[in-house]
Amino acid sequence: MAAVLRDRFLEKSTRLEVLNAVLVFLSFSITAIYTVDGLTPLIAESLRATENVIVLSFATEFTLRWWSQSLRPSYLFNPLVLLELASFLPFLVLLVLISSCSRPDLVLISP
C-alpha cells in the first residue's frame, strides 16, 4: 500500500515538474516575443496577462510548499528557495503598488 502511494506521489510530482518546465519555457518565449518591434497593443496585453498568470502560478506553488513546511521561517533561508522567491517577488511588489496606487498607469512598466 505504501509503495502504491509513493508511486502515485512521484508520478504527480513528475507531472508538476514537467508543467513547471513548460511554464518556464513559455515565460522565456514571451520575454523573447516582447523584443519584437511592432507588436499590437492587443498582443502585448495578451502576452502580459499570460505572463502574469504564469508568475501567479509559481507564487501559488511556492506558498503551498512553504505552507506544507508549516510556514517555518528557516525554510526561506535555503539558497534555492531564495532564488525561487526572487523570481516572482518583483511581480508581487508591482502588483501591490498597482493595487494601492490611485493612478496605476504611472506604475506600469512597459517591457
Side-chain angles (χ1 to χ4, degrees), residues 62 75-87:
F62 175 85
Y75 175 76
L76 300 175
F77 295 111
N78 179 327
L80 292 176
V81 171
L82 289 172
L83 181 64
E84 184 179 4
L85 185 61
S87 71

Side-chain angles (χ1 to χ4, degrees), residues 3-4 11-12 19 25 36 43-44 47-48 52 54 59 61-62 68 73 75 83 85 89 96 100 102 106 109-111:
V4 171
E11 181 180 317
K12 288 180 183 179
L19 176 64
F25 180 76
V36 174
I43 292 174
L47 291 173
R48 186 174 294 118
N52 290 348
I54 291 170
E61 181 202 5
F62 175 85
S68 74
Y75 175 76
L83 181 64
L85 185 61
L89 193 59
V96 168
S100 66
S102 61
L106 297 177
I109 301 169
S110 297

Side-chain angles (χ1 to χ4, degrees), residues 56-77:
L56 282 174
S57 72
F58 289 149
T60 301
E61 181 202 5
F62 175 85
T63 303
L64 289 172
R65 279 190 287 110
W66 187 28
W67 178 73
S68 74
Q69 297 293 319
S70 302
L71 298 174
R72 289 183 324 207
S74 62
Y75 175 76
L76 300 175
F77 295 111

